[in-house]
């Protein structure tokens, strides 16, 4: 199993309360250093495996990324890159419902009005079409738009 897959499983277990921090320390303590070191980056706030995969990819590229950031009243985002780029990791399970779809668009509009750029990634884009998705994300990162200041 790859380190990334292990991180996805561990973060999911932490988020769902199926694994405690003490249990994680015990688990990591049994692993060889080459696995223990990268897995020490796992977090308990990841809401999905898609979010974990994207965040780890960004961190490996030394992109400043924060998880589960509250940007406005009632608006928490999956990932915030730099100062203004929001990445939401959507799955059909939670975002295909017409009410949730409408709410997602409302939130996107609020964020855009405040100067944030919102990108929504699907499970398929991350796990089935990753090479194409990766190229596009790299192009966007190279422009460094995520480092510009938000409007006053």
């Amino acid at each position: 199993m790859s380190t990334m897959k292990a991180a996805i499983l561990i973060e999911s277990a932490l988020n769902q309360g199926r694994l405690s921090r003490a249990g994680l320390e015990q688990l990591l303590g049994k692993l060889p250093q080459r696995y223990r070191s990268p897995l020490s980056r796992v977090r308990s706030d990841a809401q999905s495996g898609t979010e974990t995969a994207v965040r780890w990819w960004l961190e490996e590229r030394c992109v400043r990324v924060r998880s589960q950031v509250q940007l406005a009243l009632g608006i928490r985002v999956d990932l915030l890159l730099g100062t203004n780029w929001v990445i939401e990791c959507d799955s059909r399970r939670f975002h295909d419902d017409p009410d949730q779809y409408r709410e997602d668009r409302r939130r996107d509009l609020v964020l855009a009005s405040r100067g944030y750029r919102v990108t929504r990634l699907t499970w398929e884009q991350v796990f089935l079409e990753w090479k194409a998705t990766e190229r596009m994300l790299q192009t966007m990162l190279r422009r460094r738009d995520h480092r510009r200041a938000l409007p006053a």
Side-chain angles (χ1 to χ4, degrees), residues 50-59 61 63 65 79 81 85-89 117-122 125-127 129-146:
T50 308
E51 181 183 326
T52 297
V54 173
R55 190 188 85 246
W56 274 56
W57 179 83
L58 291 162
E59 289 173 345
R61 278 142 192 83
V63 175
V65 58
L79 302 171
L81 286 62
W85 186 6
V86 170
I87 295 183
E88 293 282 48
C89 300
R117 161 194 242 152
V118 179
T119 301
R120 290 189 171 275
L121 297 177
T122 65
Q125 287 172 308
V126 174
F127 293 108
E129 304 161 7
W130 180 244
K131 287 298 173 193
T133 302
E134 179 181 39
R135 280 192 304 276
M136 288 182 266
L137 292 174
Q138 285 174 328
T139 297
M140 295 163 77
L141 285 169
R142 272 193 229 90
R143 282 198 308 255
R144 302 168 66 86
D145 291 345
H146 63 292

Side-chain angles (χ1 to χ4, degrees), residues 15-148:
N15 183 264
Q16 294 175 16
R18 295 179 182 199
L19 178 65
S20 67
R21 275 286 164 192
L24 173 62
E25 294 305 319
Q26 193 174 32
L27 174 70
L28 293 179
K30 296 176 184 177
L31 295 175
Q33 182 61 31
R34 70 176 189 246
Y35 299 117
R36 189 176 334 127
S37 183
L39 287 174
S40 66
R41 293 176 24 217
V42 297
R43 304 173 48 102
S44 61
D45 61 354
Q47 300 283 308
S48 70
T50 308
E51 181 183 326
T52 297
V54 173
R55 190 188 85 246
W56 274 56
W57 179 83
L58 291 162
E59 289 173 345
E60 287 170 357
R61 278 142 192 83
C62 300
V63 175
R64 188 177 133 220
V65 58
R66 293 182 289 154
S67 299
Q68 297 302 317
V69 180
Q70 190 83 33
L71 293 180
L73 184 63
I75 300 179
R76 180 194 306 257
V77 299
D78 292 339
L79 302 171
L80 177 63
L81 286 62
T83 55
N84 60 27
W85 186 6
V86 170
I87 295 183
E88 293 282 48
C89 300
D90 295 345
S91 67
R92 279 208 168 137
R93 182 175 173 200
F94 296 106
H95 297 273
D96 214 21
D97 172 73
D99 292 334
Q100 187 60 53
Y101 181 88
R102 198 170 19 264
E103 174 61 12
D104 288 343
R105 291 340 172 256
R106 183 197 68 77
R107 291 164 30 101
D108 291 354
L109 186 58
V110 169
L111 293 173
S113 75
R114 294 178 180 201
Y116 292 96
R117 161 194 242 152
V118 179
T119 301
R120 290 189 171 275
L121 297 177
T122 65
W123 181 92
E124 291 83 2
Q125 287 172 308
V126 174
F127 293 108
L128 301 179
E129 304 161 7
W130 180 244
K131 287 298 173 193
T133 302
E134 179 181 39
R135 280 192 304 276
M136 288 182 266
L137 292 174
Q138 285 174 328
T139 297
M140 295 163 77
L141 285 169
R142 272 193 229 90
R143 282 198 308 255
R144 302 168 66 86
D145 291 345
H146 63 292
R147 293 182 159 210
R148 70 179 161 72

